[in-house]
């Protein structure tokens, strides 16, 4: 009967993961997808720690988003329902011409605001993309945790 080999130590596993990470960073597809200087800002933490940090923070954000979303939807829906009941009962009279005028005015102001905000939005998107590329492990954990938080 053959001898059993002992399981690898934690240090051996860590060294293999680090070697695999470095190998992936040297590949052309990795550089095209994430850039040459990609890698987590928090490289002092292990991959498992980064996933755990991202997952826990994502779950908290998803859970809060779910709860706040339900409260907001209930408040808006209830408010609209009460307004409709009040309108049908004669308590409220709506001046539809004034509403139309105000909506058109708001549309014009929004159009002006979006034309001015486009450069700022592009800068924000570039910074966000760079952050995700540099912190791909934490971001992946966050997204997974966020989805679990929404589902719970």
């Amino acid at each position: 009967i053959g001898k059993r080999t002992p399981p690898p130590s934690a240090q051996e596993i860590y060294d293999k993961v680090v070697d695999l990470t470095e190998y992936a960073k040297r590949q052309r597809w990795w550089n095209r997808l994430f850039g040459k200087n990609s890698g987590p800002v928090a490289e002092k933490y292990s991959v498992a720690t980064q996933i755990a940090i991202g997952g826990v923070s994502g779950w908290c954000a998803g859970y809060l988003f779910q709860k706040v979303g339900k409260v907001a939807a209930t408040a808006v829906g209830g408010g609209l329902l009460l307004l409709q009941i009040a309108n049908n009962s004669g308590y409220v009279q709506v001046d539809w011409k004034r509403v139309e005028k105000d909506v058109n005015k708001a549309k014009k102001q929004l159009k002006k605001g979006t034309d001015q905000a486009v450069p700022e939005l592009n800068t924000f998107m570039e910074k966000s993309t760079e952050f995700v590329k540099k912190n791909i492990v934490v971001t992946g954990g966050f997204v997974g945790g966020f989805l679990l938080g929404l589902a719970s």
Side-chain angles (χ1 to χ4, degrees), residues 44-56:
K44 59 185 172 186
Y45 298 113
S46 70
V47 172
T49 304
Q50 291 178 53
I51 290 174
I53 290 170
V56 169

Side-chain angles (χ1 to χ4, degrees), residues 107-122:
K107 279 184 188 178
K108 288 177 186 174
Q109 287 178 344
L110 280 173
K111 191 163 184 112
K112 287 180 186 176
T114 47
D115 290 343
Q116 295 168 354
V118 169
E120 294 171 6
L121 186 62
N122 287 339

Side-chain angles (χ1 to χ4, degrees), residues 13 15 22 29-30 61 75 114 120-121 144 148:
I13 294 172
D15 290 341
E22 291 304 318
W29 64 268
W30 181 274
T114 47
E120 294 171 6
L121 186 62
L148 285 173

